[in-house]
């Protein structure tokens, strides 16, 4: 039977003062702002994705946990509007999306990107969609999860999101005032 296994640790284990005493970190908790090498050392954890059909997924590199489903679905040979469509497109542009750091693929980290007003439409739309699914009215659910909502609901709930599910990302998507953007709190 086709099998995919993913092993992932979401953070360094809490070891009290051991990190400080050993010189591994300056304080008992990981820095939120530090040079990229320090951030990787303090925040990266092992990730393994393996399939009995394709073996281990190679060269995943530094990624945000939100991208793990992309690698699991790819290893399983499954395509999906959200997990391989939208996440795949976002991942091709960004390695890490964190509230304190934005790391473009192969690029230079942008610390305090939210406070500095650095906006990227793709990241904004991903965060907007996540908010909509978790706390909002789930207006885009039918576009990205047609297996749950059915095809009839695909365009009626949020037609402006259909281009993302189809993998047609415009360079700078302009969502109308009637889009989800109009009711999501500014703190996002």
């Amino acid at each position: 039977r086709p099998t995919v296994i993913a092993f992932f640790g979401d953070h360094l284990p809490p070891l009290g003062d051991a990190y400080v005493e050993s010189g591994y970190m300056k304080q008992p908790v990981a820095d939120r702002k530090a040079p990229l090498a320090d951030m990787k050392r303090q925040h990266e954890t092992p990730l393994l994705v393996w399939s009995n059909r394709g073996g281990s997924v190679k060269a995943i590199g530094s990624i945000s946990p939100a991208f793990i489903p992309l690698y699991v679905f790819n290893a399983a040979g499954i395509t999906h509007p959200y997990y391989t469509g939208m996440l795949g497109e976002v991942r091709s542009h960004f390695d890490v999306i964190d509230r304190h750091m934005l790391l473009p693929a192969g690029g230079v980290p942008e610390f305090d990107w939210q406070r500095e007003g650095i906006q990227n439409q793709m990241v904004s739309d991903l965060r907007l969609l996540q908010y909509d699914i978790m706390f909002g009215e789930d207006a885009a659910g039918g576009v990205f999860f047609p297996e749950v909502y059915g095809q009839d609901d695909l365009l009626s709930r949020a037609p402006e999101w259909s281009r993302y599910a189809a993998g047609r990302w415009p360079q700078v998507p302009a969502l109308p005032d009637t889009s989800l953007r109009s009711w999501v709190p500014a703190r996002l």
Side-chain angles (χ1 to χ4, degrees):
R1 293 168 61 178
T3 303
V4 175
I5 299 172
F7 291 102
F8 169 67
D10 69 336
H11 60 81
L12 290 173
L15 299 177
D17 291 329
Y19 293 122
V20 177
E21 291 170 4
S22 68
Y24 189 75
M25 296 189 307
K26 295 175 185 170
Q27 55 191 9
V29 295
D31 291 328
R32 295 314 281 165
K33 299 175 200 168
L36 184 58
D38 290 344
M39 293 293 285
K40 285 186 172 193
R41 186 171 47 84
Q42 295 176 20
H43 291 271
E44 280 187 352
T45 59
L47 168 63
L48 170 72
V49 178
W50 176 87
S51 163
N52 66 346
R53 293 193 172 178
S56 294
V57 176
K58 306 288 187 214
I60 294 175
S62 299
I63 64 168
S64 288
F67 296 131
I68 293 172
L70 167 66
Y71 289 93
V72 171
F73 273 61
N74 283 340
I78 298 170
T79 60
H80 186 274
Y82 177 75
Y83 294 112
T84 58
M86 184 171 194
L87 284 182
E89 187 64 26
V90 174
R91 172 65 178 103
S92 71
H93 291 84
F94 296 95
D95 292 335
V96 176
I97 299 172
D98 178 79
R99 65 180 181 222
H100 299 286
M101 181 182 71
L102 186 63
L103 181 60
V108 177
E110 298 173 9
F111 294 99
D112 286 329
W113 62 280
Q114 292 177 347
R115 287 188 188 151
E116 299 295 325
I118 299 168
Q119 290 296 321
N120 177 282
Q121 192 66 51
M122 195 178 291
V123 173
S124 292
D125 286 345
L126 176 64
R127 296 180 75 213
L128 186 66
L129 178 63
Q130 290 171 335
Y131 181 90
D132 174 51
I133 291 170
M134 293 174 61
F135 307 110
E137 296 175 9
D138 201 14
V143 174
F144 291 100
F145 300 96
E147 69 279 8
V148 175
Y149 295 91
Q151 291 295 326
D152 295 344
D153 205 31
L154 185 65
L155 295 177
S156 65
R157 293 170 65 89
E160 66 272 12
W161 288 95
S162 63
R163 65 179 175 260
Y164 299 110
R168 296 185 308 270
W169 282 81
Q171 288 299 83
V172 181
L175 298 181
D177 290 337
T178 58
S179 73
L180 301 172
R181 192 175 312 288
S182 65
W183 54 263
V184 172
R187 71 177 188 275
L188 288 180

